[in-house]
Amino acid sequence: MAEPELPGSAETAPAGEDQAPLPAASGAGPRERAEGAKPDLLQDDDDSCSDYGSRDKPGTALGRTVPDGNVLFPDIFHTDHLLFYERFKAYQDYILADCKASEVKEFTAEYLEKVLEPSGWQAVWRTNVFEVLVEVVDVEYSALKAVVQLSEPFLCESRDSTFTLDCMQELLQLKECQIPLQELWVVYDESGEFDQTALAVEHVRFFYQCIWRTWDEEEEDDFDYFVRCVEPRLRLHYDILEHRVPSGLVADYQNLLSQCEELYRKFLNVRNSISSSDSDSEVENISVVEGLKLYEKIENLKQKLKLIENPLLRYVFGYQKYSGLQAKGLRPTGTKITHVVSTTMMASLLQSLLRDKLCPESCGEELEIQFHNDPLAAVNACYEGDTVIICPGHYVVDGVFCIADSVELEGYGLPDDIVIEKQGKGDNFVDCTGANIRISSLKLVQHDAVEGILNVHHGKTTLENCVLQCETTGITVRTSAELLMKNSDLYGAKGAGVEIYPGSTCTLLDNGIHHCKEGILIKNFLDEHYDIPKITMANNVIHNNEGYGVVLVRPTMPSDVKDASVERTKACVEGFRQEELPECVTDELELYEQAEISEQTEGNYEIANELGVTSARKSHMHKKRLSELGITEADDSLMSQEMFVSIVGNQFKWNGKGSFGTFLF
């Protein structure tokens, strides 16, 4: 069985992909360059995309910024707008090269010695409470600090009036007149003499604010720091700036980063208290245990951060997005309304609707009808049990369909005649959390998106006779959610057409999934906190996908985890029992059991077999954990979590890497 390189990436293009291609690493660290050679960050190389102009022209090549506030500070260099390519080139070719984490400060200091003017320039010293104009008289390169004095005339702006001239002079004396370079903003000079100084300070500031982590220096020192840490973090920063990352994932990353920093501070305090103690007291032993627990938590958080920083893995493993949608429930009056959506209502269309959909005889009761010209407005007006009928037309919406109640969205006609197109950038298109949602006979078109076209967060969503033209990922079935997708066509996803999370239920019948990065991606469910998903695939045509038809993501397991439970699971997969099927599809699958074995039988068996084996591995791991805890007889509800898999009658054609693959991490 083949193993794909990296499946399921919804955004594989690097940040700044519309810029010039990245240069090859120079491979020369600061020590390897000739002494006194001053790298010109403003030069116009053949592969440079700098917008600063030619250095042959006199004067500065940088822009200027007028500082905010009431004090008339001089203008400063505008350097915080640098492109991804420019920062990448500076860190790779001039500053860090192939240094290790423990050498970052040393390499940075050597770089600054070559490009930073040692004196004669002014800067605005900025903190959270004040800004003051200073003059640089010297630079302590090894400490990454500038030696400064207050400029004349004294210019200072603060939140209160306590920062007088005397106070600032006293503060500088306490700091020995040394200020971190990242707290300085270089004053604008049109001569061009201080351009590289301004850029060098910007690179140092950006690095320690956005790239460096306090624990980096304790990482393993046998790898290239730029490749392992700087590049992925830099790409993530620009992916966020360019709205390539879902806002929920950005919030998750910032939260994880804050947690990790806080725990690391506690860990350092505990470690310092242990190292400063000479006794083997009980208190010290408790501190050691506490330190080990903190270390384990920190390593877990660091691993999660690395997954998000990796532009491919962040989409393979996804994130558990919190959906705060609140269901409205039934109307206070208890009535249910049918919402009719049409851009224009012609008499002939109304007659057809009355005959086919709105006739009291066919509905069995008198209907209350509301008319809309926007499908999003109609959905937002829905309560529990409402129905939305969308007439033929091309509807362009700028918003998210948030469906938290059990409602039905039905197209009146063929899907290609009822098109709902997403306009503008946004995280989501359709979010489903209702207990029982039905969507039928619609075509959903997604452009310039960040997240998938449809997310089932909770409850059950039925998708029938629909066409989905995707942009990033296609449909996502999250933990504890259920999807039934029938007779639908999905294509165009840059990630996976369908993503199946642990603990979910996914039933795919008679669908076409094609021209995606991967057809179907089943996420790792081996973690002890996850339940095994229930997956049913029958008579689908999965074709022309760039990678595999179906991909299973799971961690690498010891090859010797093959016991009797594996054989039992194989038997369960090969001869699945009718009564284990979800009730919603029992009738449909009765016909499929009698279907002839197609040419793709081997692919169906391979997928079902591998999923079954993985399910058995989880069962084995769970038994082992219980055994370690001294529990010999497991709870039946826990130990019966064999994955139910029905993979029959599917056709896998012309997928770039084959019908099935496993991504091991």
Side-chain angles (χ1 to χ4, degrees), residues 409-429:
L409 277 68
E410 177 184 354
Y412 182 55
L414 298 175
D416 286 334
D417 297 329
I418 308 159
V419 180
I420 302 177
E421 183 176 351
K422 179 75 163 64
Q423 173 181 279
K425 286 189 176 182
D427 282 359
N428 312 313
F429 192 177

Side-chain angles (χ1 to χ4, degrees), residues 61-86:
L62 299 176
R64 65 201 299 170
T65 297
V66 179
D68 298 328
N70 300 321
V71 176
L72 296 178
F73 284 111
D75 294 353
I76 59 177
F77 281 107
H78 182 41
T79 56
D80 58 0
H81 68 305
L82 298 182
L83 303 176
F84 167 82
Y85 170 85
E86 293 168 306

Side-chain angles (χ1 to χ4, degrees), residues 277-324:
S277 175
D278 296 330
S279 64
D280 293 330
S281 64
E282 183 178 351
V283 174
E284 182 178 347
N285 293 334
I286 294 175
S287 297
V288 171
V289 174
E290 182 184 357
L292 290 173
K293 289 181 179 179
L294 286 172
Y295 179 81
E296 185 177 352
K297 291 179 180 178
I298 292 168
E299 288 301 310
N300 182 262
L301 290 174
K302 284 160 63 175
Q303 186 64 27
K304 292 180 179 179
L305 288 170
K306 289 177 181 178
L307 290 179
I308 299 177
E309 288 165 357
N310 187 298
L312 297 177
L313 296 183
R314 76 177 68 130
Y315 294 103
V316 172
F317 293 93
Y319 68 103
Q320 298 296 326
K321 179 180 176 181
Y322 169 75
S323 182

Side-chain angles (χ1 to χ4, degrees), residues 141-154:
Y141 296 104
S142 60
L144 308 184
K145 292 182 178 181
V147 181
V148 303
Q149 63 185 21
L150 296 175
S151 295
E152 296 182 1
F154 174 67

Side-chain angles (χ1 to χ4, degrees), residues 22 185 270 311 340 358 460 464 509 587:
L22 298 179
W185 272 257
V270 171
V340 178
L358 307 177
K460 174 186 173 184
E464 184 171 7
L509 309 174
D587 294 336

Side-chain angles (χ1 to χ4, degrees), residues 14 71 134 160 162 183 221 240 272 277 282 352 372 447 451 467 504 559 611:
V71 176
V134 296
D160 50 53
T162 59
E183 295 181 8
D221 225 10
I240 292 173
N272 292 337
S277 175
E282 183 178 351
S352 299
H372 308 263
H447 295 297
E451 278 202 15
V467 177
S504 64
S559 59
L611 295 180

Side-chain angles (χ1 to χ4, degrees), residues 339-343 349 353 357 373-376 388-397 401 409-422 429 439-446 453 463-469 491:
H339 304 263
V340 178
V341 181
S342 180
T343 52
L349 177 59
L353 281 170
K357 298 293 182 181
N373 58 12
D374 177 16
L376 185 57
V388 179
I389 299 175
I390 304 176
C391 298
H394 192 120
Y395 304 90
V396 179
V397 299
F401 287 91
L409 277 68
E410 177 184 354
Y412 182 55
L414 298 175
D416 286 334
D417 297 329
I418 308 159
V419 180
I420 302 177
E421 183 176 351
K422 179 75 163 64
F429 192 177
I439 303 173
S440 61
S441 301
L442 297 176
K443 181 175 182 179
L444 303 180
V445 179
Q446 185 184 37
I453 198 166
L463 198 68
E464 184 171 7
N465 194 32
C466 289
V467 177
L468 293 91
Q469 180 179 318
Y491 60 92

